[in-house]
Amino acid sequence: MEKHDLSFEASLQKLEEIVQKLEQGEVLLEDALKYYEDGMNYAKICHDKLKEADTQITRVLQENGSMTDFQSIKGE
Amino acid sequence: MSDLYISVATLTQYIKRKFDVDPYMQKIWIKGEISNFRPSQRGHLYFTLKDDKARIFAAMFNGQARQLDFEPADGTKVLVSGSVSVYEESGRYQLYVQEMMIDGTGNLFLAFQKLKQDLEKEGLFSDAKKKPLPSFPKHIAVLTSPYGAAVHDMVSTMKRRYPLVQITVIATTVQGEGAIPSLIRNLRLVQNDPSFSDVDVVIVGRGGGSIEELWAFNEEEVAREIAACSIPVISAVGHETDFTIADFVSDLRAPTPTGAAEMATPDIVDLMHRLHQASERLDTAIRIKLRGYHSRLTYLIQSYVLKNPKMTYLKKEERLDSGLERLHMVMRSNMQKRQIKLQAVYSKLPVRSFQDQIEHRFLEVAMYKKQLEAGLQYQLKQKQNMYMFALKQLEAYSPIHIMQRGFSIPQNETGEVIRSIDAIEISENFTLRLSDGQMRCTVTDKKPLSIH
């Protein structure tokens, strides 16, 4: 699904928008099913984003300009 | 004459006004030594503030006096802030003390108060200037020393709360020599360096240490740099009750480094909850929707029209009927109207000549008809005569006519005329036609005709 490059924030927002649309107002059945499918996709994106996030590495920009991994620096 | 003289009270009020409208008298910082210290029963403090050249009466009311963290006494060197006004009853000007501290901390406190005052007047602390933090930060830059427990707490707190965020710790000298240029350089780096273009929150933190070690955060240069920062800044410099100027100019002030981490990031537990709720609402919504459609469908299936489909077109037929009827009626009335109109038009036409013409045509038609009839009669007569003549001829040639003269026609069983004796066998039957009837005969003998 090409929507995967959406941010977590955008996906969550989309999901909530869709929920609102579904909850209120007259939606055609076909549209409702489409919304539902989209909503499930966005929920999945959110889940995936949260899962894959664990790989994010915290870096340190040292004063000499070099970039190092934060984990390599031990707290005192 | 007595109009020239004013009362003492009036004069004193006038002098008091002079003090009260002077902005310089409203907030001043003074240093001096306490003498003649006299606390009152109700907790107000009265004393004289002096140095080697001058003295001023001072009063500190119990509200402010309760905030003091030291016991004032004669001879204590103090830093004081407050206002100057006139106490009318004793006819002397005096200092109304707001804040007072022991003059041991050098000029730092005064400088702090002064800078705070100035920047506040300039509007650098105003709520309108505070930038909102993003609800979902992408990249948080932490300007602090990369060493020490505080930064580790901060990073792990943010990672735990919101694993999606990217964090870069930008090693910054935050205390002692070099803190000011380091802070300013890195604040600018975060705003301008392309590799930090996605940074949407900056946390400025200290690595620990006493308030005296953090004087860089009370420097005007640093304060202005923070205030001007285009990215929202969270200050995690002060500690619980200690405030620095940086705390006031930043967009959000955190009481502790961990507090800053919490302010900067949404909690994943909340997000999961929100996500879960949204998913559940999505399910419920679609289920309600489908149930709604289902019941509508059921209702429709049981509806009168679908149960009695004939009724739909019977009604239409009725409508067609009545429609046709109306159409005819309208047509008729229309025709009538038109006829009336036509007659009206006729009546206006030059009637005579028109009628003459019609009569003339009628006569013509009658004449042609007569001619036609005469022609037809003649033709008929002719054909009759021809017919009679032909009939007579025919009679003359008729076989019956011939048979009357004594001839007869033999015919075999199939009705064929027997023209030769070879066409029939002995004892075979045949029919013989005569002019007045026929008879059945049997061949008893055959004899060919002998020609001599």
Side-chain angles (χ1 to χ4, degrees):
Chain A
M1 179 166 151
E2 80 283 9
K3 290 171 185 158
H4 221 93
D5 48 339
L6 272 181
S7 72
F8 176 83
E9 177 181 20
S11 302
L12 186 60
Q13 220 159 30
K14 286 266 187 201
L15 174 59
E16 284 173 337
E17 274 169 27
I18 284 172
V19 170
Q20 259 183 349
K21 262 189 220 159
L22 263 184
E23 279 177 344
Q24 50 169 263
E26 287 291 297
V27 185
L28 294 175
L29 179 61
E30 279 84 355
D31 294 345
L33 291 174
K34 181 89 183 64
Y35 281 143
Y36 179 73
E37 197 184 312
D38 285 353
M40 291 306 278
N41 274 332
Y42 286 125
K44 190 179 177 307
I45 292 173
C46 289
H47 267 292
D48 291 353
K49 290 262 175 199
L50 290 177
K51 281 232 178 77
E52 77 195 30
D54 287 336
T55 54
Q56 283 268 30
I57 290 165
T58 301
R59 297 172 306 165
V60 179
L61 177 65
Q62 293 291 1
E63 292 210 71
N64 62 16
S66 66
M67 205 59 112
T68 53
D69 182 0
F70 183 69
Q71 292 308 317
S72 65
I73 297 171
K74 281 274 156 274
E76 283 158 27
Chain B
M1 272 316 260
S2 66
D3 287 357
L4 277 174
Y5 300 90
I6 56 166
S7 68
V8 177
T10 309
L11 174 63
T12 311
Q13 269 169 13
Y14 178 77
I15 294 169
K16 182 175 158 61
R17 273 265 304 287
K18 289 278 168 196
F19 279 88
D20 291 348
V21 297
D22 185 341
Y24 294 107
M25 294 296 187
Q26 298 316 304
K27 189 76 177 177
I28 47 170
W29 290 268
I30 312 140
K31 60 178 179 174
E33 189 188 311
I34 293 174
S35 72
N36 201 17
F37 183 71
R38 290 169 287 125
S40 83
Q41 287 283 331
R42 292 170 52 223
H44 305 316
L45 308 179
Y46 301 100
F47 55 93
T48 305
L49 201 63
K50 65 165 192 181
D51 57 21
D52 47 3
K53 290 202 182 72
R55 59 184 58 217
I56 183 172
F57 292 106
M60 188 175 197
F61 295 116
N62 53 13
Q64 283 82 36
R66 247 180 263 126
Q67 311 281 325
L68 289 176
D69 53 3
F70 68 101
E71 290 280 327
D74 284 348
T76 313
K77 287 203 161 71
V78 287
L79 299 170
V80 164
S81 73
S83 58
V84 178
S85 187
V86 172
Y87 180 52
E88 292 160 81
E89 279 164 56
S90 62
R92 64 187 184 199
Y93 69 94
Q94 62 180 41
L95 181 67
Y96 292 92
V97 180
Q98 295 284 331
E99 287 170 306
M100 181 161 68
M101 66 188 300
I102 294 173
D103 184 8
T105 48
N107 287 327
L108 272 180
F109 177 74
L110 283 179
F112 172 84
Q113 289 293 343
K114 178 89 170 65
L115 181 61
K116 186 183 157 200
Q117 190 83 19
D118 288 352
L119 295 183
E120 190 165 16
K121 249 185 223 159
E122 232 180 270
L124 260 61
F125 303 167
S126 83
D127 285 343
K129 276 212 64 188
K130 307 280 183 205
K131 289 178 281 298
L133 297 181
S135 331
F136 300 89
K138 283 188 201 67
H139 190 167
I140 298 175
V142 185
L143 272 60
T144 191
S145 158
Y147 307 102
V151 66
H152 275 269
D153 278 352
M154 238 190 297
V155 170
S156 63
T157 300
M158 289 192 284
K159 280 270 139 194
R160 190 191 66 241
R161 283 175 59 88
Y162 191 55
L164 286 174
V165 74
Q166 197 197 326
I167 303 166
T168 306
V169 177
I170 299 178
T172 308
T173 309
V174 287
Q175 53 200 68
E177 277 296 307
I180 297 170
S182 179
L183 276 165
I184 290 172
R185 188 181 62 242
N186 287 342
L187 274 167
R188 289 182 183 164
L189 179 82
V190 165
Q191 292 175 75
N192 300 323
D193 194 290
S195 60
F196 294 120
S197 61
D198 61 340
V199 168
D200 44 12
V201 178
V202 175
I203 298 176
V204 179
R206 68 161 163 182
S210 69
I211 190 84
E212 286 78 24
E213 285 175 296
L214 297 167
W215 57 269
F217 293 101
N218 286 324
E219 284 292 332
E220 187 172 350
E221 261 181 291
V222 173
R224 288 192 183 279
E225 200 65 38
I226 290 174
C229 186
S230 57
I231 307 163
V233 177
I234 302 175
S235 126
V237 180
H239 199 273
E240 304 291 355
T241 53
D242 290 344
F243 279 75
T244 64
I245 298 290
D247 288 327
F248 293 112
V249 292
S250 55
D251 298 292
L252 204 61
R253 185 236 179 211
T256 59
T258 315
E262 281 167 359
M263 288 169 174
T265 49
D267 192 349
I268 195 164
V269 177
D270 293 343
L271 292 178
M272 287 298 229
H273 182 67
R274 238 174 100 185
L275 187 58
H276 184 72
Q277 262 194 335
S279 301
E280 216 143 75
R281 277 168 63 199
L282 188 68
D283 269 342
T284 311
I286 195 79
R287 214 172 299 134
I288 287 171
K289 199 106 232 164
L290 288 177
R291 204 180 299 148
Y293 275 118
H294 198 266
S295 60
R296 261 170 74 187
L297 183 64
T298 317
Y299 168 78
L300 287 174
I301 286 172
Q302 285 170 350
S303 75
Y304 176 74
V305 178
L306 284 183
K307 277 198 149 178
N308 307 283
K310 259 188 193 172
M311 289 315 288
T312 54
Y313 65 80
L314 284 181
K315 269 186 193 161
K316 304 259 170 180
E317 212 140 284
E318 256 180 61
R319 272 183 63 193
L320 178 65
D321 263 1
S322 74
L324 277 174
E325 220 150 87
R326 272 173 53 207
L327 182 66
H328 284 311
M329 250 167 62
V330 170
M331 286 279 280
R332 229 174 290 140
S333 79
N334 235 336
M335 288 279 275
Q336 275 168 0
K337 270 185 214 156
R338 270 155 212 253
Q339 239 154 15
I340 289 165
K341 255 193 193 165
L342 186 65
Q343 255 151 22
V345 173
Y346 261 141
S347 66
K348 281 179 196 155
L349 278 176
V351 179
R352 185 131 310 274
S353 68
F354 204 79
Q355 271 182 347
D356 283 353
Q357 249 184 35
I358 291 172
E359 268 165 15
H360 178 72
R361 294 284 157 142
F362 266 124
L363 287 177
E364 243 177 21
V365 168
M367 195 185 73
Y368 282 134
K369 203 172 154 192
K370 248 180 210 166
Q371 277 181 1
L372 194 65
E373 266 167 9
L376 209 65
Q377 284 292 326
Y378 172 78
Q379 286 268 331
L380 204 59
K381 201 85 196 157
Q382 195 105 345
K383 296 282 171 184
Q384 251 170 4
N385 288 341
M386 277 168 73
Y387 173 66
M388 291 307 285
F389 177 73
L391 202 65
K392 266 188 191 149
Q393 268 194 334
L394 191 65
E395 252 174 346
Y397 292 118
S398 161
I400 292 169
H401 213 77
I402 296 167
M403 281 188 280
Q404 277 174 349
R405 283 189 276 156
F407 292 96
S408 58
I409 307 162
Q411 283 176 311
N412 67 12
E413 300 290 293
T414 56
E416 282 165 358
V417 175
I418 305 164
R419 297 175 197 273
S420 160
I421 54 168
D422 297 334
I424 194 159
E425 300 299 320
I426 290 173
S427 79
E428 206 176 318
N429 294 329
F430 68 98
T431 305
L432 198 65
R433 276 182 182 274
L434 289 98
S435 68
D436 55 352
Q438 58 188 44
M439 49 193 182
R440 298 271 291 163
C441 306
T442 310
V443 179
T444 51
D445 196 10
K446 291 198 294 184
K447 218 180 266 172
L449 185 67
S450 55
I451 296 155
H452 304 282

